Amino acid sequence: MTTIPLRMTTPQALAEAPTPPQATAHPALWPQARSPESLSDAQTEARIESLLARLSLEEKVGQVIQADIGSIKAEDLRTYPLGSILAGGNSGPNNDDRAPAAEWLKASREFRAVSLEERPGHTPIPVIFGVDAVHGNNNIPGATIFPHNIALGAMRDPELIRRIGEVTALESAVTGIDWTFGPTLAVPRDDRWGRTYEGYSEDPEVVASYAGPMTLGLQGELRPGQPLAQGRIAGSAKHFLADGGTSSGKDQGDAEISEEELIRIHAAGYPPAINAGILSVMASFSSWNGVKHTGNKTLLTDVLKGRMGFTGFVVGDWNAHGQLPGATNENCPQALIAGLDMYMAPDSWKGLYHNTLAQVRAGEIPLARLDDAVRRILRAKFKAGLFNSERPLEGKLELLGAPEHRAVAREAVARSLVLLKNEGVLPIKSSARVLVAGDAADDIGKQCGGWTISWQGTGNTNSDFPNAHSLYAGIRAAVAAGGGTAELSVDGSFTKKPDVAIVVFGENPYAEFQGDIATVEYQPGNKTDLALLKKLKAQGIPVVSVFLSGRPLWVNPEINASDAFVAAWLPGTQGEGVADVLIGDVNGKPRRDFTGKLSFSWPKKAMQTSVNRGDANYDPQFPYGYGLTYAQPAKVGTLSEDPGPTVAATSTDLFFGAGKVAEPWSLVLSDTGGSSPALKANGDSPNRVVSVRVVDAGAQENGRTLTWTGTQQATVAIIGPAVDLSRQTTGDMAVAIRYRLDRAPTAPVRLVLTSGDRPASLDITRLLTQGSAKEFRMLKVKLSCFRDAGANMASVTSPLALTTEGALSLTITDLRLATNDGDAVCP
């Protein structure tokens, strides 16, 4: 055996390593653009140079680092002069992502006050506070929530986009927010991607037409020597570049495409945004031909700042710099040297600050590069008006969700609806007896989707949306105005036969990687919504389907079971906009017509995951630009219900639910006598130290009672092929167990996650026994707890196991990964 010595590579050598040819951009091929001269006018530049000359090295390094409010307090800025804070998807003031607007305002003022203190050795520079206000100021209960971008793309209305930007900026500014991480200029090309709904269109024409107006809506027009107008905030075009072009639609994946395609499709929105004065650009987590964008100097420096003339600053995504070869979240000179100006280091900011400071002192990071980054950040801060003490709109919380703002959102909802099928049942007479069914009919959280109050959009109830309207509420009001009635019945039951049924159903909320799917088939293998449609049709009731989704999905069976089918996307808080189009007058005449047109092609088969206008052999079910109207109807015949070749549905987040173990997982019992699959036949496992029994727990055979005798150690485990849960770990996901404690443990109980032969074990005895006995409750343990206990989260073979030496009995109904909605813990 020959031992090959390792060759150590210094951070500086890594930083200066040449970009491989396949990921090297050639600036001359790219479109030219230029930030307005009013962004870097002489008066502003003079102020920047004067301030830069007074900054210590520590203060300069602080400016290029951003921390999340979940891991930093305002007083920390007295020691660490950071330039920015953010509130990530699940972050909020006092670790409460459902904090009221007043608490957000208080938090922003506290951080700003400390950053501007007059104290020895400190140069007052205001922090810039950023959030993902991606469809309104969506972090805060009571804000106006607009339809997600996929719906806005169907409007084809740049002027309305500008007005949406204005409202978003104003409702952010009144709560103390300086900066939103938007507009999103992704061009999603594979609908399996969990962020498809954040893109306006699969085609760059819509994205390019919206980029400038949304920038102007958020920021207003830049003026020489003047800050943004009151009520405007800084924007950030994202994610540079081709985040929507990754292979198989994998979040944070690799765009394996030519430079020509990178330019023609994925860069289209950036020149208009730059020309309109966008103050920042966010670099993507993803890669181009194997090279992460955060470390690609040819893209960040040569193309974006060079050829495209961008004079604002480039910010990273959530610890994205730590994904560069040879880097960690706390040590990454490569990104700054490549052209990143501000690290998003939510929980790694302290170590990154110390390391970056040392690297500048040692010459690993050139001082000129640091100065350029700070200069760009200060330029944006001056232009955003952060150095001005006057903030007359800040604190006017009555503007949050103001009626005139909700009117803009209602208009956007109505204009974004796309009519896929109508066999004469629409519009509905307002004098009719209407049954409103489906689990999404009266669920404002579901109609808003992800990035709504919580990161994944989960855990929300209608009470979290004051002054909002569910689709049912909007339909009820519209029908009542014409003398009709609307009855809400989620399961479609009724006492008196209705004239028509409106069934509202669709995807549950998700964001980012949690939304990545294997096929575009809706409800594969468990078509409960289709069953509801068929049940109503069998009773002779005309059925109108209102489909909520963040992407086009294969729903041919559901379309066939409907007399009318409407793609309503994720409409946000103003559900009455749907009723404006579906419900006519007392005579059944339209009050307003459909105007929405598909900005994404609709699939004909379940594996038609990437079907885009201009593709070779383009063959969608409904093409790009399709959309019926009342004025111009068309017949839609019976569609094929053959999904075509597909792949077996597998789950990386659901392990056991609805009485079944999800593929590819197995539930296994083990003790010193060996192990065996737990769920054969009726599930009974006699003569074992631990056994499982099938039970009814609110539904037929949906539960499993697990019983340990206490004679020796035994384990119940979920086991399957190795899966990578590193992204879920950094995304603050948790192992969730819905259980009822039938017999209290007589010895410690441990929750175990195993990667290869490396188990990470946590004592959950106290957590398991909290609360009332004999009642079902949910236990959530953060994945990061297992990582911190030594697990390799990139190769998990058993995501969940319960083990004890004592006696114990509990009944489970659900085992899964779930979002941390402020209710997950570390034992």
Side-chain angles (χ1 to χ4, degrees):
M1 179 176 177
T2 303
T3 301
I4 301 175
L6 294 175
R7 180 182 176 185
M8 302 303 292
T9 306
T10 66
Q12 185 171 9
L14 283 168
E16 295 174 354
T19 305
Q22 71 273 13
T24 298
H26 301 84
L29 301 177
W30 291 68
Q32 288 185 293
R34 184 173 180 81
S35 294
E37 292 185 3
S38 50
L39 176 55
S40 54
D41 58 85
Q43 182 178 345
T44 301
E45 294 303 293
R47 296 177 69 186
I48 291 170
E49 294 305 321
S50 175
L51 182 56
L52 190 64
R54 303 200 306 270
L55 297 183
S56 67
L57 190 59
E58 290 80 0
E59 289 171 323
K60 289 179 180 180
V61 170
Q63 284 301 302
V64 304
I65 295 176
Q66 179 187 59
D68 185 82
I69 62 173
S71 65
I72 191 171
K73 293 181 171 57
E75 54 264 33
D76 290 330
L77 297 182
R78 296 191 179 102
T79 304
Y80 299 91
L82 303 192
S84 179
I85 56 170
L86 84 150
N90 271 346
S91 297
N94 304 312
N95 292 316
D96 179 8
D97 66 354
R98 284 175 168 73
E103 291 300 314
W104 286 84
L105 178 60
K106 178 183 176 184
S108 68
R109 286 175 167 173
E110 288 174 348
F111 278 102
R112 189 185 312 138
V114 175
S115 69
L116 290 173
E117 284 177 348
E118 297 284 352
R119 57 182 186 271
H122 172 64
T123 307
I125 300 177
V127 292
I128 184 168
F129 188 2
V131 300
D132 284 281
V134 293
H135 61 142
N137 190 5
N138 44 263
N139 293 280
I140 299 180
T144 304
I145 306 299
F146 291 95
H148 268 297
N149 285 355
I150 191 171
L152 302 184
M155 299 188 314
R156 307 294 207 279
D157 191 336
E159 174 56 24
L160 187 50
I161 284 291
R162 183 190 60 78
R163 291 163 57 201
I164 290 170
E166 288 179 354
V167 173
T168 299
L170 180 58
E171 293 202 8
S172 299
V174 300
T175 57
I177 304 301
D178 308 306
W179 179 24
T180 176
F181 305 134
T184 299
L185 302 179
V187 185
R189 305 291 284 180
D190 190 312
D191 298 336
R192 288 174 290 186
W193 188 34
R195 304 189 79 155
T196 295
Y197 64 79
E198 296 187 51
Y200 295 120
S201 176
E202 72 186 28
D203 195 289
E205 68 167 2
V206 176
V207 178
S209 72
Y210 278 8
M214 180 55 89
T215 298
L216 292 172
L218 292 169
Q219 298 185 169
E221 189 170 344
L222 303 189
R223 298 166 296 175
Q226 297 294 318
L228 302 184
Q230 294 295 330
R232 307 295 184 127
I233 63 172
S236 186
K238 70 179 187 183
H239 304 86
F240 192 83
L241 191 62
D243 49 335
T246 60
S247 298
S248 302
K250 183 179 180 181
D251 190 52
Q252 300 187 17
D254 188 18
E256 300 173 270
I257 58 178
S258 67
E259 186 174 8
E260 183 275 334
E261 185 175 340
L262 187 68
I263 297 168
R264 176 173 51 86
I265 293 177
H266 299 286
Y270 289 90
I274 292 168
N275 290 337
I278 197 73
L279 295 181
S280 69
V281 168
M282 182 179 290
S284 176
F285 265 116
S286 58
S287 307
W288 174 41
N289 291 332
V291 176
K292 290 285 182 180
H293 294 301
T294 308
N296 193 327
K297 187 175 183 179
T298 70
L299 284 174
L300 297 185
T301 298
D302 301 343
V303 168
L304 180 59
K305 296 178 177 179
R307 180 70 171 180
M308 290 188 178
F310 175 61
T311 58
F313 71 93
V314 178
V315 62
D317 209 335
W318 189 276
N319 276 331
H321 55 274
Q323 296 185 2
L324 297 184
T328 69
N329 291 350
E330 296 184 344
N331 188 343
C332 185
Q334 303 97 301
L336 194 65
I337 292 171
L340 193 77
D341 300 309
M342 181 183 287
Y343 297 92
M344 186 182 288
D347 54 0
S348 57
W349 56 270
K350 190 177 292 185
L352 185 64
Y353 171 84
H354 287 298
N355 285 325
T356 304
L357 183 61
Q359 287 153 3
V360 177
R361 285 174 172 160
E364 292 179 23
I365 297 175
L367 181 59
R369 172 75 271 268
L370 177 65
D371 283 347
D372 175 60
V374 175
R375 189 177 287 111
R376 288 170 174 272
I377 293 167
L378 294 178
R379 184 177 294 136
K381 288 185 175 184
F382 275 117
K383 190 55 64 175
L386 303 190
F387 286 86
N388 294 13
S389 59
E390 302 84 10
R391 289 176 174 242
L393 290 174
E394 189 175 273
K396 293 186 178 294
L397 301 184
E398 67 275 12
L399 295 176
L400 198 69
E404 59 270 26
H405 298 167
R406 295 189 181 275
V408 176
R410 180 174 180 172
E411 175 73 11
V413 173
R415 288 188 56 79
S416 66
L417 303 177
V418 179
L419 181 61
L420 299 183
K421 176 182 178 180
N422 184 23
E423 300 298 324
V425 67
L426 290 176
I428 298 168
K429 293 180 180 180
S430 57
S431 56
R433 175 184 292 275
V434 181
L435 177 70
V436 186
D439 67 351
D442 194 35
D443 188 336
I444 300 173
K446 186 162 181 171
Q447 73 192 41
C448 286
W451 293 106
T452 306
I453 302 182
S454 67
W455 172 38
Q456 296 284 330
T458 55
N460 296 325
T461 65
N462 285 2
S463 62
D464 291 315
F465 302 95
N467 301 315
H469 291 83
S470 68
L471 271 66
Y472 164 67
I475 293 167
R476 181 184 58 195
V479 172
T485 61
E487 177 186 0
L488 176 66
S489 174
V490 171
D491 66 1
S493 59
F494 54 84
T495 54
K496 186 174 181 179
K497 186 176 179 179
D499 299 317
V500 63
I502 300 175
V503 184
V504 189
F505 62 97
E507 291 189 290
N508 291 318
Y510 56 82
E512 298 191 55
F513 61 92
Q514 279 299 101
D516 288 359
I517 53 178
T519 79
V520 290
E521 180 177 2
Y522 178 63
Q523 289 191 331
N526 187 29
K527 296 189 178 297
T528 55
D529 291 326
L530 177 61
L532 174 58
L533 300 177
K534 287 183 173 180
K535 181 180 79 170
L536 292 167
K537 284 282 286 182
Q539 297 174 84
I541 302 168
V543 173
V544 176
S545 288
V546 178
F547 186 53
L548 305 183
S549 72
R551 51 195 151 203
L553 292 172
W554 187 74
V555 286
N556 283 12
E558 288 81 1
I559 293 175
N560 286 340
S562 308
D563 295 284
F565 198 95
V566 178
W569 314 111
L570 299 170
T573 51
Q574 305 317 121
E576 65 267 44
V578 174
D580 289 343
V581 184
L582 268 59
I583 309 299
D585 62 17
V586 293
N587 299 313
K589 298 296 183 182
R591 293 186 296 146
R592 68 178 301 163
D593 205 345
F594 285 90
T595 57
K597 305 296 180 184
L598 291 180
S599 60
F600 285 80
S601 304
W602 205 276
K604 183 178 286 187
K605 300 289 184 181
M607 283 304 294
Q608 207 171 14
T609 57
S610 181
V611 52
N612 303 298
R613 184 173 73 149
D615 287 351
N617 303 314
Y618 180 63
D619 184 29
Q621 186 66 70
F622 301 108
Y624 179 91
Y626 176 91
L628 303 178
T629 68
Y630 295 140
Q632 295 180 311
K635 184 77 173 177
V636 175
T638 302
L639 306 179
S640 169
E641 297 192 8
D642 175 13
T646 187
V647 295
T650 60
S651 174
T652 57
D653 55 1
L654 175 64
F655 312 127
F656 173 77
K660 298 179 180 179
V661 177
E663 293 290 342
W665 305 103
S666 299
L667 185 61
V668 174
L669 312 180
S670 64
D671 53 41
T672 54
S675 63
S676 66
L679 297 181
K680 289 186 176 179
N682 65 2
D684 291 334
S685 304
N687 305 318
R688 295 298 303 258
V689 177
V690 59
S691 62
V692 59
R693 180 167 54 89
V694 178
V695 296
D696 296 342
Q700 185 176 6
E701 297 188 350
N702 71 316
R704 299 292 185 270
T705 296
L706 310 175
T707 302
W708 286 257
T709 64
T711 56
Q712 62 189 42
Q713 184 170 344
T715 301
V716 177
I718 294 290
I719 294 177
V723 294
D724 184 352
L725 298 182
S726 53
R727 180 71 181 95
Q728 286 84 341
T729 303
T730 59
D732 202 25
M733 299 289 288
V735 171
I737 306 171
R738 185 176 184 269
Y739 73 98
R740 181 186 67 209
L741 187 62
D742 301 321
R743 178 184 179 183
T746 60
V749 181
R750 303 192 73 82
L751 183 63
V752 184
L753 180 146
T754 302
S755 50
D757 58 355
R758 290 169 54 186
S761 174
L762 303 171
D763 189 335
I764 60 167
T765 314
R766 181 182 60 83
L767 297 173
L768 201 64
T769 55
Q770 287 178 342
S772 302
K774 305 297 183 181
E775 292 183 359
F776 279 97
R777 54 194 301 269
M778 184 72 79
L779 170 63
K780 290 184 179 180
V781 176
K782 296 179 181 180
L783 285 175
S784 58
C785 309
F786 297 102
R787 176 198 62 198
D788 296 343
N792 174 14
M793 304 307 292
S795 182
V796 176
T797 51
S798 175
L800 184 158
L802 293 168
T803 186
T804 182
E805 294 181 351
L808 168 67
S809 181
L810 52 85
T811 298
I812 58 168
T813 61
D814 199 85
L815 304 173
R816 67 174 66 229
L817 297 184
T819 58
N820 175 14
D821 296 318
D823 53 356
V825 297
C826 271

